[in-house]
Amino acid sequence: MNTPQISSGTATRLGAHHDGNGVNFAVFSENASAIELCLFSPDGKTETARIKLPERTGPVWHGYVEGLAIGSLYGYRVHGSYAPEQGHRFNPNKLLVDPYTRELHGQFENHPATLGYDEGSAREDISFDEADSAPYVPKSVISDPALFQAAKPGNRKQPSKDLIYEAHVKGLTQSNPDVPEALRGTYEGLASDAVIEHLQSLGVGAIELLPVHSFIDDAFLLDRGLTNYWGYNSIGFFAVEARYFGPNGLTGFRKMVERFHEAGIEVILDVVYNHTAEGDQRGPTLSFRGLDNASYYRLNAGQPRYYANDTGCGNTLNVAHPYVLRMVLDSLRFWVECMGVDGFRFDLATTLGREAHGFDPWGGFFDALRQDPVLSGARMIAEPWDIGPGGYQLGGFPHEFLEWNDAYRDTARRYWRGDAHSAQELGARLLGSADKFDRAGRRSSSSVNFLASHDGFTLADTTRYEKRHNQANTENNRDGHHTNYSDNCGEEGDSDDPEIRAKRSRRQRNMLATLFMSQGTPMLLAGDEFGNSQDGNNNAYCQDNKIGWLNWDQADLDLQAFVAALSAFRQAHPCLRQTRFLHGAKRASDGLLDVEWTDFDGGPLGWRDPGLSNFCLTVRCSAEAPEYEPDHDLVFIAFNRTDEQLSVNLPKPPNGQHWVRGIDTDTAVQNAYPRPESDTAVIAPQSVVAFVVISDGATHEPD
């Protein structure tokens, strides 16, 4: 091998950084005895040099190689004790990805050589494997610093809408006929004119992307001819996933973010800092495990051979360790400062808040994040659970976080399915789930309300299937949620019965209207706006095909127009998207209550009735709103879950005004010129109607 000269370098900046003359390498390992830098040929197939990092400053090993070019490929081999029963799994035969690499060359291959142990040994992972893994793992890349100059938000328009749209880069675009064929499945395709125009028509304020950190396909999926479609299997927290690269390669991601910003749409990334792709003790040695297993991962107390598995994914990243925490924070800052993103949705966020004594909202991760001058201004959303002890923490996060509210999803489904006692709980969900979030100055926008997400049935499938149909996942239909609160409306799966089809469409409209009429932050799963189905698969994480992609050719355009109307209605009525919780307090401006619950006759609501199906909700601006906020907005909403047509007594409108229908789920097509209502109004069976007031002199009729 031709061995370049190496000097001490510096430990101050982790990763590999080119300064115009050479590259400084710095990598963390608290328990290693030596670390070797391995250089590779441009194709990544031949190891051309192996150089021992000459310096160690605390737990950081470092060195500087002069003359090394941008684009060079490298990896690490780490020496130390191979003692799994003590938590150490060092094996220099395994080439390791730099945790801080910003680019990867090549693909992970499912090969026994990637395992640190001999797969065929009776001693299993206690054994030691001497096979070289380099041919089967991706190589880290010396990146061009020019690719990662600070993002410039100069043309960015601040979003004025609160609707979040959860989407998969490939799934949203792969079958979209309006996206140029060469751009489908890419970052450029995601920011194409067709997609942006679609999002703007829906009033989307932020697009939330499923993971785009570099990830690998699980070995057990590859063995079954499947892939990790969703991407919750990260191996590179600084590297953009290359499988979505288009004609502009890496720069396509930044161009995508810039285009969204120009359109007034934020970009939020779903990030997975709770576990890595290395899995449990039987998984491959690709990076963190070989660098310092005992530091990067939480190991079982008294049995460090095994991993704490609060994530259900085999391992749990040890964010309580200062250098692991530093890596996560450095990664987050990189995506904000260099790639221009606006915020993050933290997968299994409870895991990130775990300290030795359990989940702690004042733990190290949250403290570090909230005081960071860059990250404290980013938008943060928590998935407030994991599978560990005390893992369900809905409402338990610091006020800076919004939280996915699965209680909202389940309650909305249960109410429209007809479950007993569900109307009472829906009342709390409609007002921003104050029972979960109204504490310590939190806002009602803390509750991210959704009817469906990537994980579970789509909205359409909640009206088409009683049970999951995950046979394509090759796990004998055992995977996925057991409890979906779904209702097939009379027939499992597709139906030619016009009554069943009409009932399903109405159910979807009712649920969508409920979502857009609720206080909190609404989130829409991509495709739910036009009735996208996954054929009953409620766990399509491995379906990179027509099951997982949006079915644009089957889009219900009437439903799509209805969602656009709902979004516009919500945007037009600030009383539906307040930041303060409503508790029925009397307003100083007019003596009226900021929220009132009544029955269809206008009397008190019988909350104790377990079969309560119909109720009315009057929403005004909060009694706690300051004088500088306008408080004139008013919406009256009637919910009729019965199969009967009912009459509702409308409240007395303000002087000089009258009621009109703003939204009526009885039909997908909304009347642009609604007629004034009398003292009573007819509410169709199984429907929601939102009434608004207009001036007596105003007319909605065209000239």
Side-chain angles (χ1 to χ4, degrees):
M1 297 183 184
N2 182 18
T3 304
Q5 294 297 309
I6 190 166
S7 57
S8 65
T10 175
T12 57
R13 192 179 183 193
L14 293 170
H17 298 280
H18 198 281
D19 64 4
N21 297 312
V23 180
N24 190 84
F25 295 90
V27 61
F28 158 75
S29 181
E30 196 166 37
N31 295 296
S33 59
I35 296 182
E36 294 175 310
L37 168 68
C38 301
L39 303 179
F40 286 83
S41 59
D43 61 4
K45 295 182 179 179
T46 303
E47 186 174 340
T48 59
R50 190 177 298 187
I51 318 164
K52 184 178 179 180
L53 291 181
E55 297 286 346
R56 175 178 181 174
T57 302
V60 178
W61 303 74
H62 53 95
Y64 181 88
V65 180
E66 189 170 355
L68 195 61
I70 289 171
S72 298
L73 306 182
Y74 73 101
Y76 292 116
R77 297 184 189 274
V78 183
H79 297 259
S81 173
Y82 189 83
E85 291 172 312
Q86 298 173 28
H88 301 304
R89 295 178 179 270
F90 296 106
N91 186 338
N93 299 295
K94 309 306 169 184
L95 187 77
L96 306 177
V97 169
D98 183 351
Y100 275 72
T101 188
R102 298 182 176 189
E103 295 179 81
L104 288 170
H105 173 88
Q107 302 294 323
F108 165 76
E109 293 184 37
N110 183 21
H111 192 279
T114 63
L115 304 176
Y117 62 95
D118 180 359
E119 190 175 27
S121 171
R123 299 178 70 236
E124 297 181 322
D125 64 295
I126 298 296
S127 64
F128 185 81
D129 182 69
E130 297 183 354
D132 185 6
S133 69
Y136 312 106
V137 298
K139 310 303 183 292
S140 302
V141 180
I142 304 298
S143 295
D144 183 350
L147 293 173
F148 303 103
Q149 293 177 351
K152 298 178 181 179
N155 293 326
R156 177 179 168 188
K157 301 175 183 176
Q158 290 294 331
S160 58
K161 302 174 177 65
D162 62 352
L163 176 61
I164 298 173
Y165 187 84
E166 190 199 25
H168 186 282
V169 174
K170 185 175 183 180
L172 181 60
T173 61
Q174 187 65 31
S175 298
N176 189 330
D178 295 325
V179 174
E181 188 170 359
L183 300 183
R184 295 174 191 169
T186 70
Y187 299 115
E188 290 93 337
L190 192 66
S192 63
D193 290 344
V195 173
I196 287 179
E197 290 169 5
H198 178 74
L199 298 181
Q200 289 179 323
S201 74
L202 298 174
V204 170
I207 184 167
E208 182 179 302
L209 301 179
L210 268 66
V212 296
H213 286 171
S214 185
F215 62 90
I216 68 171
D217 297 308
D218 313 67
F220 75 91
L221 290 176
L222 294 173
D223 289 341
R224 302 203 303 255
L226 299 169
T227 60
N228 191 317
Y229 170 59
W230 284 349
Y232 292 89
N233 205 34
S234 302
I235 196 61
F237 294 121
F238 296 78
V240 180
E241 176 51 48
R243 69 187 72 189
Y244 308 133
F245 281 172
N248 296 299
L250 178 61
T251 60
F253 183 91
R254 280 182 48 143
K255 290 181 181 295
M256 173 197 73
V257 174
E258 290 170 2
R259 287 218 69 200
F260 278 127
H261 285 172
E262 290 168 358
I265 298 172
E266 288 186 338
V267 178
I268 298 172
L269 302 186
D270 196 334
V271 288
V272 188
Y273 296 112
N274 56 77
H275 75 280
T276 79
E278 291 182 310
D280 63 13
Q281 73 276 4
R282 297 162 296 185
T285 296
L286 304 174
S287 181
F288 315 97
R289 174 176 284 135
L291 280 164
D292 194 343
N293 186 64
S295 294
Y296 275 105
Y297 294 116
R298 289 180 51 226
L299 307 178
N300 284 347
Q303 290 185 307
R305 173 185 174 186
Y306 303 106
Y307 296 81
N309 189 17
D310 294 329
T311 66
C313 300
N315 64 54
T316 302
L317 206 62
N318 184 19
V319 181
H321 190 288
Y323 273 86
V324 181
L325 176 60
R326 175 180 172 178
M327 177 187 70
V328 172
L329 295 173
D330 286 347
S331 169
L332 291 168
R333 278 190 294 269
F334 166 76
W335 289 96
V336 172
E337 294 183 307
C338 298
M339 307 307 284
V341 306
D342 303 282
F344 307 94
R345 179 264 190 190
F346 293 92
D347 182 63
L348 302 182
T350 298
T351 299
L352 302 176
R354 286 191 179 276
E355 300 288 332
H357 55 277
F359 176 79
D360 186 350
W362 310 108
F365 171 75
F366 297 124
D367 288 347
L369 193 66
R370 297 161 72 196
Q371 63 77 42
D372 189 281
V374 173
L375 299 177
S376 59
R379 194 168 186 181
M380 293 179 281
I381 303 173
E383 182 182 42
W385 53 79
D386 65 15
I387 68 167
Y392 189 73
Q393 291 291 333
L394 179 64
F397 282 74
H399 80 269
E400 291 89 347
F401 282 80
L402 309 185
E403 299 180 36
W404 270 27
N405 189 346
D406 63 324
Y408 184 96
R409 174 199 62 200
D410 294 347
T411 301
R413 292 184 181 188
R414 291 180 59 244
Y415 173 76
W416 286 110
R417 191 174 68 168
D419 291 12
H421 300 287
S422 57
Q424 288 82 350
E425 186 169 353
L426 184 63
R429 306 297 152 246
L430 286 166
L431 296 185
S433 296
D435 57 326
K436 308 290 184 183
F437 297 103
D438 190 8
R439 60 173 186 79
R442 296 192 75 175
R443 301 286 192 169
S444 60
S445 53
S446 300
S447 176
V448 176
N449 303 327
F450 61 100
L451 303 169
S453 69
H454 69 273
D455 188 6
F457 277 150
T458 67
L459 175 61
D461 284 352
T462 64
T463 69
R464 298 174 67 169
Y465 296 93
E466 292 274 356
K467 301 177 181 179
R468 65 191 180 208
H469 294 267
N470 297 353
Q471 289 80 3
N473 296 355
T474 68
E475 297 183 41
N476 295 319
N477 204 34
R478 293 193 301 265
D479 62 302
H481 293 302
H482 296 274
T483 306
N484 297 286
Y485 302 111
S486 59
D487 175 15
N488 64 19
C489 297
E491 182 178 349
E492 190 76 353
D494 291 340
S495 176
D496 294 327
D497 187 321
E499 291 187 7
I500 291 177
R501 293 168 67 93
K503 185 176 181 180
R504 290 172 174 175
S505 295
R506 181 183 291 265
R507 180 73 56 82
Q508 292 174 59
R509 294 196 298 272
N510 286 336
M511 294 175 72
L512 287 162
T514 303
L515 175 68
F516 281 88
M517 303 293 170
S518 298
Q519 305 295 324
T521 301
M523 186 183 82
L524 188 67
L525 173 65
D528 278 356
E529 70 271 23
F530 57 71
N532 183 65
S533 171
Q534 292 179 169
D535 299 331
N537 192 316
N538 75 347
N539 190 31
Y541 77 105
C542 56
Q543 299 300 325
D544 187 3
N545 50 48
K546 290 185 177 180
I547 294 175
W549 305 338
L550 300 196
N551 302 310
W552 291 91
D553 59 335
Q554 301 174 23
D556 182 342
L557 298 182
D558 286 341
L559 181 61
Q560 183 174 312
F562 177 73
V563 173
L566 280 175
S567 184
F569 182 81
R570 178 181 177 85
Q571 186 65 20
H573 292 283
C575 72
L576 297 178
R577 45 186 175 85
Q578 302 183 63
T579 60
R580 296 172 177 82
F581 290 97
L582 305 175
H583 293 294
K586 185 178 292 186
R587 305 184 335 154
S589 60
D590 54 18
L592 298 174
L593 304 182
D594 55 15
V595 63
E596 295 183 73
W597 300 92
T598 53
D599 61 20
F600 270 47
D601 294 326
L605 193 61
W607 284 112
R608 295 188 178 184
D609 178 7
L612 180 64
S613 294
N614 315 310
F615 58 86
C616 299
L617 173 62
T618 304
V619 182
R620 300 182 179 90
C621 293
S622 172
E624 299 177 0
E627 292 183 1
Y628 53 77
E629 288 187 6
D631 68 350
H632 60 275
D633 196 33
L634 169 65
V635 176
F636 177 75
I637 313 167
F639 290 80
N640 178 13
R641 194 179 63 184
T642 73
D643 294 325
E644 300 177 1
Q645 177 177 290
L646 300 175
S647 293
V648 62
N649 290 331
L650 298 175
K652 182 180 180 180
N655 291 333
Q657 294 182 315
H658 59 263
W659 293 104
V660 297
R661 293 176 190 245
I663 292 290
D664 189 343
T665 65
D666 185 40
T667 177
V669 180
Q670 298 301 288
N671 186 356
Y673 309 107
R675 295 182 177 180
E677 300 285 345
S678 60
D679 294 339
T680 62
V682 173
I683 309 298
Q686 291 284 330
S687 65
V688 179
V689 180
F691 298 90
V692 296
V693 290
I694 64 172
S695 300
D696 288 341
T699 176
H700 282 244
E701 298 293 338
D703 294 335

